[in-house]
């Protein structure tokens, strides 16, 4: 499944919020430095969808808040 994700780095609270059918907003407490926010994003999505971290891949937006992510279930 391909989803669109809006990431909020340095968030006080970590969360995954569904905005639409394939749109999500994710708050991560990690800063957007050296890929730490992306790593935490993958961990949170892994828990949310109950899939291994290896089944989640950022397709587009590696250095952007708006990302396109593939989740293999």
């Amino acid at each position: 499944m391909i989803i669109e994700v809006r990431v909020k780095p340095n968030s006080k609270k970590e969360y995954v919020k569904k905005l639409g059918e394939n749109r999500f907003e994710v708050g991560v407490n990690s800063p957007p430095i050296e890929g730490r926010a992306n790593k935490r994003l993958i961990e949170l999505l892994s828990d949310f969808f109950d899939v291994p971290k290896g089944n989640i891949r950022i397709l587009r937006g590696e250095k952007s808040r708006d990302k396109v992510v593939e989740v293999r279930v």
Side-chain angles (χ1 to χ4, degrees):
M1 137 178 46
I2 305 294
I3 60 172
E4 295 176 17
V5 178
R6 176 81 188 229
V7 179
K8 305 268 182 161
N10 291 322
S11 178
K12 292 186 194 289
K13 222 188 239 186
E14 291 193 315
Y15 62 90
V16 177
K17 182 165 64 171
K18 188 170 183 167
L19 302 175
E21 189 172 327
N22 288 329
R23 297 199 45 153
F24 292 84
E25 181 178 280
V26 180
V28 297
N29 62 8
S30 300
I33 298 170
E34 298 173 356
R36 286 189 244 165
N38 287 340
K39 183 178 179 200
R40 189 65 187 136
L41 167 69
I42 289 173
E43 291 169 356
L44 289 172
L45 289 176
S46 169
D47 289 342
F48 184 79
F49 289 108
D50 196 29
V51 297
K53 289 184 275 191
N55 287 10
I56 298 176
R57 185 168 64 122
I58 298 172
L59 299 177
R60 281 196 309 266
E62 187 87 20
K63 297 184 186 235
S64 169
R65 289 176 189 247
D66 295 315
K67 303 181 186 304
V68 176
V69 178
E70 176 185 29
V71 179
R72 286 177 281 152
V73 274

